[in-house]
Amino acid sequence: MNCLRGFKSLLYGFFFSFVLSIWVRVHGQNIWPMPKSVSFGNRTLSLSSNFELRTYRSNYLDSSGILNEAFERMMHLVKAGHMLKTDFPDSGIQDSVDIALNTFDDMLTSLPVLAGINIAIRSPNETLNFGIDESYYLYVPDTGSILFARVEAATVFGALHALETFSQLCNFNFTTKALELHSAPLTIYDQPRFPYRGLLIDTSRHYLPVAVIKSVIDSMSYSKLNVLHWHIVDDQSFPIEVPSYPKLWKGAYSNSERYTIEDAAEIVKYAEQRGVNVLAEIDVPGHTSSWGFGYRSLWPSNGCRNPLDVSNEFAFEIIDGILLDFRKVFKFKFVHLGGDEVFMGKAPYILLFYSELNDNNMTLSDGYRYFVLRAQNIAISHGYDIINWEETFNNFGGKLSPKTVVHNWLGQGVAQKVVAAGLRCIVSNQDRWYLDHLDVPWQHFYANEPLTNITDPNQRKLVLGGEVCMWGEQIDTSNIQRTIWPRAAAAAERLWTPLEKLPKNPREVALRLAHFRCLLNQRGIQAAPLDGYSRNGPQDPGSCINQ
Amino acid sequence: MNCLRGFKSLLYGFFFSFVLSIWVRVHGQNIWPMPKSVSFGNRTLSLSSNFELRTYRSNYLDSSGILNEAFERMMHLVKAGHMLKTDFPDSGIQDSVDIALNTFDDMLTSLPVLAGINIAIRSPNETLNFGIDESYYLYVPDTGSILFARVEAATVFGALHALETFSQLCNFNFTTKALELHSAPLTIYDQPRFPYRGLLIDTSRHYLPVAVIKSVIDSMSYSKLNVLHWHIVDDQSFPIEVPSYPKLWKGAYSNSERYTIEDAAEIVKYAEQRGVNVLAEIDVPGHTSSWGFGYRSLWPSNGCRNPLDVSNEFAFEIIDGILLDFRKVFKFKFVHLGGDEVFMGKAPYILLFYSELNDNNMTLSDGYRYFVLRAQNIAISHGYDIINWEETFNNFGGKLSPKTVVHNWLGQGVAQKVVAAGLRCIVSNQDRWYLDHLDVPWQHFYANEPLTNITDPNQRKLVLGGEVCMWGEQIDTSNIQRTIWPRAAAAAERLWTPLEKLPKNPREVALRLAHFRCLLNQRGIQAAPLDGYSRNGPQDPGSCINQ
């Protein structure tokens, strides 16, 4: 920069100072998503260099290590930003400021010290599934001889949320080079508004390496999302191993772009340890072109590769085999059976295929319905409830199993029809919650209300929540995280925080969301700037907080 | 996808098969960057589930753990792609294919087993710096009773390169679910063509969290780059702590967007453990607007914030203080003192400033030269050799210290002038090696030859190597890695591999580079597709290998 631009720079300087002064003011409340209830004081505590986990009065024994590992991860996260003085052996690099620092050491020692966190969990059970109690209570005292933060939670998974919240309260002090917690005494009561808070990833259009899926799961837990909807297979590729039908993954893009069934089990385990359920999807009868590379008879005719042929018993046998294998790995209450975009009667091959159906006295739409309902019954026989894309409801809603959850995607206003019909619903209307729609800014993600026009309390309960969808046609390892974040976080607060605490105007949370975006960056997650067009990089130099 | 697109899909299918068949053919040579010499057979070895490191006949004692930790990282990388059968306790999820697998178990046991790797290092010294011996020899036998891969290296840092190469030879077998090495027996002699193989990052235009810098260092080691040029401060922000002048980092964007001096030491240590030197830059006298937020007297006049005032003794005192502190942390032979884009005589403030200079009987260019040379002397007094941007050479080359390395950036053809003048040079011509130039494809990065038009052997030795530059005006955590990779890898091979092994047409290495891009992705690095415009995401669904 040269001096011609000096004044412009000066103006920027004023602007930064202004923004930062606001930032400091909301400091005590920089938690994302906003808890149900927060009250706080103005006292600063210093975290002990031996900050420890205690589980006094807990019924949960942590035999699998979920809680201990979560505590270690939390400590790693709050320490990852900067080296602590206590962790850095004296190397002489601070000689010149030792006098200055001694003053601060005194200041440090004069702060009350938070010695650790005690987590008491009521339930000994550590099985994650739909509808478990995710609530927690977090209290940070500011007086007493030995200060311990206190967490009470019904389940270990509520405790994980408490640890995430606690991590967002910790700050690095650049003078003392120690960790601090501001705003003590602090009391938080928290629980999610919706039990289903999902993110879809798509490993058929582009393979996502296991390390990348794990990184997505990590980042989900930071905004308390709890369902990874894994759209595993589709027309383009069939990357997963199905032991019962070992030729299916011949439909993978390449030998190396595959998941073994053990990889899938590892991903499920990794997610569960972070309070995230994994919802597996096989999308039938459409979106199945890749299936026939291993079993050619699944292609309805020469040159036509989907939908699966309703007159072919083998199609149902193979679905049965897939779900038999899936049930051993994917323990979530639900399996997703797709059912969308089944194109009937347009192409000559489809007409040929359905003319065969007609021999069985079925119409085209009869065939579609028959397929979906039979696939539902197979899933139920394996102990699953079913999620189906909304076309199934739109076409033959009255026939769907009562165990069905209808997954909205086409547009708004669907949930109210679904719950009026007595079925459950999750919301992903594409005009607001499809992350691949790059023209949808975070404000629209934030403002999308799943309960719009649903007033009956019983019907409201049927809306289980919602899900943002990261379809993979133009997404791979290089850009998935910056396309997901920060927009998914905007939806995450909509799904977590009580409606009455959500401002009508998303602008009111912009600075707190920017702060969360910077926190994601600090944790190594490639969250994009809030400004600009969905996932664009920054247009100019500047602070993370105002981009 | 519907059936109207069936034929298109079929064509894609053929294309994939074609590409994959090529991929399989070059399998034994998928190493990036290509070693100096490789010869290999066609035998497959199975890696022992207890694959171990041995250091028989090594003079290096590894008291700091560099080698052991590098071995552990290497094992983690080769195992991160997929779960190994031996690491996954039998959970019944494979019941249905046990019969099939038994056959493969027999196959597995019939393969020769590679029990570990023995690394013999000649030098006990573990000090990383410019010009150390990075060569290594790697041999993988295919016969014998207990098979061990063998590495011989002059230094532990050569051994680190050997481990990286070895990691690229390991493959996951999706049938046996074990790790394999193909192409035994295998012999590699390897050493870099240039001793300086750099990547610039810029933490002034956008702050990069410590975790992100570490991730960049990780990825550098995968393509054997060995200098992280850290352009720490600039006009826009001064994020680093200088203990001797503790107000300097008041020029940071915000309180949290700062590095303590301990953070810097941690980054240097992290890099050294991976064989990467850290070159610190303070760019003087231009690019210094941010300095004056802490010390207002550094601004030449009201409204003019740079360059540093040659008539102000405090400017030199503060440079001395910075380099005094830097020397304790940045142990690399060189420090970078910038010296570029010193704009003289354009703006009224500059004229005012220089009119003051004229009182001291200096012309404008005298002042520029005086500043650069005095700063060089300060650096030399702290034991550094100096790197300066090429404007210093272009303006007063004959006056520069013989300890100067001239850093080319403006265009091609500079290195030949620099070395003809007897100075050393590194090459970063912006039309080919600036990563922020998004219109420069990887092929141009690959084809940029540092020794163009330099024939005298003594002059050729003065070209130390080159560096790709990731300037940060439009780069932050969200997009840095996908902007760096895969293009930086193309330059890395140019800098590592003997000239005679580099094809004239980059197309010949496209598939191997695509394979390396997929490997980076598998390791969680957001390398962009090779196709398209520099760092664009994929335009269509498809395999990693052909995008």
Side-chain angles (χ1 to χ4, degrees), chain A residues 1-4 6-7 9-10 13 16 20 23-24 80-83 88 92-97 172 174 177 205-207 209-212 234-236 241-244 246 249 253-263 265-266 287 289 293 303-307 325 328-329 343 346-350 472-479 482 517-518 521-529 535-545 547, chain B residues 1-4 6-7 9-10 13 16 20 23-24 80-83 88 92-97 172 174 177 205-207 209-212 234-236 241-244 246 249 253-263 265-266 287 289 293 303-307 325 328-329 343 346-350 472-479 482 517-518 521-529 535-545 547:
Chain A
M1 201 192 74
N2 61 38
C3 281
L4 287 170
F7 283 123
S9 166
L10 207 67
F16 289 154
L20 290 174
W23 190 15
V24 170
H82 303 281
M83 297 302 290
F88 210 83
I93 57 177
Q94 277 285 5
D95 289 349
S96 32
V97 286
F172 180 77
F174 282 80
K177 301 185 178 178
R205 276 62 179 254
H206 286 96
Y207 178 81
V210 172
V212 176
D234 206 298
D235 285 323
Q236 285 80 357
E241 178 185 27
V242 175
S244 295
W249 65 355
Y253 277 134
S254 68
N255 282 339
S256 61
E257 289 167 294
R258 295 187 288 176
Y259 308 101
T260 66
I261 195 73
E262 290 87 357
D263 290 341
E266 165 71 9
H287 292 276
S289 300
F293 286 97
C304 181
R305 293 177 171 188
N306 88 72
D325 290 345
K328 296 173 188 160
V329 171
F343 295 109
K346 282 188 178 171
Y349 302 107
I350 288 282
E473 282 85 350
Q474 301 192 317
I475 293 296
D476 64 9
T477 299
S478 72
N479 59 7
R482 73 188 188 96
R517 185 302 263 202
C518 298
N521 284 177
Q522 186 177 303
R523 294 177 177 186
I525 305 295
Q526 301 87 43
R535 69 173 182 189
N536 280 356
Q539 298 304 299
D540 290 298
S543 167
C544 174
I545 199 68
Q547 295 200 309
Chain B
M1 200 193 77
N2 63 37
C3 282
L4 287 170
F7 283 122
S9 164
L10 207 65
F16 290 153
L20 291 173
W23 192 16
V24 170
H82 303 280
M83 298 300 292
F88 210 83
I93 58 179
Q94 276 287 6
D95 289 350
S96 32
V97 283
F172 180 79
F174 282 81
K177 300 184 179 176
R205 277 61 179 255
H206 286 95
Y207 179 82
V210 173
V212 176
D234 207 299
D235 286 323
Q236 286 82 357
E241 178 183 26
V242 175
S244 294
W249 66 354
Y253 277 133
S254 68
N255 283 341
S256 60
E257 288 167 294
R258 294 188 288 176
Y259 308 99
T260 67
I261 195 72
E262 290 86 358
D263 291 341
E266 165 71 9
H287 293 276
S289 302
F293 285 98
C304 181
R305 294 179 171 186
N306 89 73
D325 289 346
K328 297 172 187 161
V329 171
F343 294 112
K346 282 188 178 172
Y349 302 107
I350 288 283
E473 282 85 349
Q474 301 193 318
I475 293 297
D476 65 8
T477 299
S478 72
N479 58 8
R482 71 187 189 97
R517 190 295 266 205
C518 299
N521 285 176
Q522 185 178 304
R523 293 177 178 187
I525 306 295
Q526 300 88 43
R535 67 176 184 190
N536 280 354
Q539 300 304 300
D540 290 297
S543 167
C544 175
I545 200 67
Q547 293 198 312

Side-chain angles (χ1 to χ4, degrees), chain B residues 421-432:
Chain B
L423 288 174
R424 293 169 295 178
C425 187
I426 52 177
V427 170
S428 293
N429 45 306
Q430 59 174 338
D431 57 329
R432 291 293 182 269

Side-chain angles (χ1 to χ4, degrees), chain A residues 417-434:
Chain A
K417 294 177 196 162
V418 172
V419 298
L423 288 175
R424 293 168 296 178
C425 188
I426 50 177
V427 170
S428 294
N429 45 307
Q430 58 175 338
D431 57 330
R432 291 293 182 269
W433 277 4
Y434 264 29

Side-chain angles (χ1 to χ4, degrees), chain B residues 47 51 75 82 198 344 370 384 539:
Chain B
L47 263 69
F51 192 82
M75 290 310 294
H82 303 280
M344 298 181 294
Y370 175 83
Y384 280 121
Q539 300 304 300

Side-chain angles (χ1 to χ4, degrees), chain A residues 362-392:
Chain A
M362 276 190 191
T363 65
L364 298 186
S365 67
D366 284 346
Y368 173 33
R369 188 184 67 218
Y370 175 84
F371 200 108
V372 167
L373 298 181
R374 189 162 164 195
Q376 285 202 330
N377 282 332
I378 295 170
I380 290 166
S381 78
H382 290 291
Y384 280 120
D385 279 21
I386 313 104
I387 304 182
N388 271 119
W389 294 108
E390 70 169 88
E391 286 99 320
T392 57

Side-chain angles (χ1 to χ4, degrees), chain A residues 41 81 140 157 173 235 288 292 307 322 392 441 469 488 526 536:
Chain A
V140 181
F157 303 104
N173 181 317
D235 285 323
T288 51
I322 292 171
T392 57
C469 299
Q526 301 87 43
N536 280 356

